[in-house]
């Protein structure tokens, strides 16, 4: 069985971008892959400085993973801080990482320009991500488009290490959904936990509707024919329903025919989200009331991840002469 690893940072409430780019792939893949899905808590320290907030975010990501449909019988679900060996692996990789490889990483510059402090942790963030990945010998890393460069750096680092020390790491493949680029937020920029532009499918109905009604559109009048591909409302609809879903084709046709205002498209998106995530919303409420169950899922996930990562770290230590 092919193995999969991926993770999400607990830097805020999950949103439809995380679902469309990442979680949806996890759910599809857990049927016939060996899955390692984790909460990137060390990574979140580059942006979250409030211990209480971090703790709550970590818990919420686990609950959301489960609510969206990750099945702990099929997926090892764990917290990064429960496998601290990844920080040792990060060091071993740092020592074969040329500085220019970090200099060319775009996420550091992007995040600093958005106001994050330019810490060394933020600068070397991609090396820790490489350690998360290489630590479980995965075949595939399913992520959204914005993580492409990080997975490419991971592959480069694995190759650099293997060139120096022999074949220690498996070089994994990137997996990005063909029909899903980067999902835009309500302001038309990339939907992000930290840009205040995200749609959280677990929001209460009233604020959820308000959020959807706030999506930016152009000022084309109702009767005009519209290009669905240029509209954020349509892009989000397509990401939730799926590109091949007949509801997506129907809505595209309404845009192209003319006679539909954006308010109507937004209402359709609101109803779609309530319908698609009805079960997830109920499950999330139940999970929030069952901390014992969540703890047990994490205990088992940590045990499985520890076993795997310890073996890889031990292989890497031996290879370098420790
Ligand atoms: P993070 O937490 O920013 O995002 C988690 C996942 O969601 C995807 N994503 C999106 N996809 C489409 N449209 C969007 N607007 C959008 N926003 C987010 C991301 O591509 C990602 O797949 N560095 C990672 C966390 C990480 C990780 C790893 C991932 C740490 N170690 C090892 C994979 C493997 C991050 O910050 O993702």
């Amino acid at each position: 069985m092919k193995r999969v690893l991926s993770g999400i940072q607990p830097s805020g409430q999950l949103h439809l971008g995380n679902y469309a780019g990442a979680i949806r792939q996890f759910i599809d893949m857990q049927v016939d892959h060996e899955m390692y899905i984790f909460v990137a808590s060390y990574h979140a320290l580059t942006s979250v400085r409030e211990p209480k907030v971090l703790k709550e975010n970590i818990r919420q990501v686990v609950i959301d993973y489960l609510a969206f449909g990750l099945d702990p019988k099929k997926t090892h679900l764990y917290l990064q801080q429960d496998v601290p060996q990844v920080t040792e692996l990060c060091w071993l990789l740092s020592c074969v990482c040329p500085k220019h490889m970090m200099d060319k990483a775009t996420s550091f510059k992007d995040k600093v320009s958005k106001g994050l402090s330019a810490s060394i942790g933020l600068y070397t963030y991609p090396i820790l991500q490489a350690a998360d990945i290489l630590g479980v010998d995965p075949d595939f890393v399913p992520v959204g488009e914005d993580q492409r460069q990080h997975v490419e750096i991971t592959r480069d680092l694995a190759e650099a290490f293997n060139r120096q020390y022999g074949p220690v790491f498996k070089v994994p493949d990137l997996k990005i959904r063909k029909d899903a680029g980067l999902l835009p937020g309500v302001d038309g920029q990339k939907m992000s936990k930290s840009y205040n532009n995200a749609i959280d499918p677990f929001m209460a109905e009233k604020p959820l509707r308000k959020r959807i009604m706030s999506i930016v559109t152009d000022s084309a009048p109702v009767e005009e024919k519209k290009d669905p591909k240029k509209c954020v409302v349509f892009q989000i609809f397509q990401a939730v329903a799926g590109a091949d879903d007949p509801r997506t084709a129907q809505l595209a046709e309404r845009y192209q025919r003319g006679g539909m205002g954006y308010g109507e498209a937004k209402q359709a998106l609101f109803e779609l989200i309530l319908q698609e995530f009805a079960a997830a919303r109920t499950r999330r409420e139940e999970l929030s009331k069952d901390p014992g169950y969540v703890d047990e899922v994490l205990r088992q996930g940590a045990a499985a991840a520890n076993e795997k990562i310890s073996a890889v770290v031990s292989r890497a230590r031996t290879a370098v002469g420790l």
Side-chain angles (χ1 to χ4, degrees):
M1 209 193 286
K2 298 278 189 194
R3 191 175 303 128
V4 167
L5 174 126
S6 197
I8 296 186
Q9 275 198 89
S11 47
Q13 178 54 50
L14 298 195
H15 53 68
L16 289 178
N18 302 127
Y19 174 75
I23 296 172
R24 204 179 181 137
Q25 300 199 76
F26 307 166
I27 292 164
D28 291 345
M29 293 180 98
Q30 72 179 347
V31 180
D32 52 2
H33 291 79
E34 184 190 348
M35 305 288 292
Y36 289 83
I37 301 293
F38 75 105
V39 182
S41 41
Y42 289 146
H43 281 106
L45 288 170
T46 59
S47 62
V48 184
R49 292 282 152 80
E50 202 49 66
K52 227 177 121 204
V53 172
L54 180 62
K55 218 171 175 146
E56 278 164 17
N57 285 355
I58 292 171
R59 192 75 183 178
Q60 199 55 61
V61 174
V62 180
I63 290 175
D64 290 353
Y65 269 149
L66 292 167
F68 276 123
L70 280 187
D71 177 353
K73 290 197 196 78
K74 300 180 183 138
T75 293
H76 303 301
L77 201 57
Y78 61 99
L79 307 182
Q80 196 179 25
Q81 80 247 35
D82 288 340
V83 285
Q85 306 92 308
V86 292
T87 58
E88 180 175 2
L89 202 48
C90 177
W91 180 251
L92 301 184
L93 292 166
S94 300
C95 295
V96 297
C97 179
K99 181 172 168 290
H100 64 77
M101 207 188 269
M102 291 300 101
D103 291 337
K104 70 170 196 209
T106 53
S107 72
F108 178 78
K109 285 167 227 149
D110 289 350
K111 287 176 176 173
V112 172
S113 76
K114 294 262 162 36
L116 276 196
S117 86
S119 65
I120 295 296
L122 189 64
Y123 183 66
T124 58
Y125 179 116
I127 311 180
L128 181 58
Q129 181 156 348
D132 299 327
I133 297 172
L134 300 177
V136 309
D137 283 334
D139 298 283
F140 301 117
V141 186
V143 284
E145 185 59 48
D146 60 334
Q147 295 298 314
R148 178 186 288 279
Q149 192 186 33
H150 285 160
V151 180
E152 281 165 359
I153 289 174
T154 299
R155 291 170 53 89
D156 290 346
L157 279 176
E159 279 163 0
F161 193 97
N162 289 351
R163 257 195 315 277
Q164 181 70 43
Y165 295 112
V168 172
F169 295 118
K170 188 190 263 182
V171 183
D173 285 326
L174 173 73
K175 216 160 169 56
I176 295 184
R177 269 175 78 101
K178 282 191 206 72
D179 60 350
L182 266 188
L183 194 73
V186 296
D187 57 358
Q189 309 292 310
K190 169 196 154 185
M191 190 180 289
S192 165
K193 295 180 211 107
S194 45
Y195 301 168
N196 194 26
N197 67 354
I199 298 177
D200 155 18
F202 297 116
M203 263 184 193
E205 282 190 31
K206 228 172 149 184
L208 177 63
R209 188 165 187 282
K210 203 169 156 210
R211 192 87 183 161
I212 290 169
M213 292 299 160
S214 77
I215 297 173
V216 287
T217 52
D218 59 29
S219 51
V222 173
E223 59 281 4
E224 200 170 296
K225 295 181 179 171
K226 301 176 180 71
D227 180 357
K229 290 203 180 66
K230 288 195 183 136
C231 177
V232 173
V233 183
F234 181 80
Q235 287 168 33
I236 300 177
F237 189 99
Q238 172 168 286
V240 174
D244 302 330
D245 192 277
R247 292 169 297 184
T248 306
Q250 261 166 28
L251 187 65
E253 202 269 323
R254 297 280 330 267
Y255 271 79
Q256 284 150 350
R257 205 185 332 143
M260 181 187 68
Y262 290 117
E264 209 181 306
K266 289 175 180 177
Q267 181 64 28
L269 174 60
F270 171 62
E271 285 167 17
L272 174 79
I273 290 175
L274 288 184
Q275 191 185 345
E276 284 296 301
F277 297 104
R281 289 164 70 97
T282 311
R283 213 156 39 227
R284 188 179 193 247
E285 273 182 31
E286 289 163 4
L287 286 161
S288 306
K289 292 183 205 133
D290 198 352
Y293 172 73
V294 177
D295 288 341
E296 182 53 24
V297 167
L298 290 177
R299 201 190 55 72
Q300 288 183 16
N306 258 291
E307 195 182 319
K308 193 80 211 129
I309 293 169
S310 298
V312 176
V313 174
S314 156
R315 210 163 70 208
R317 285 176 63 113
T318 307
V320 300
L322 294 178

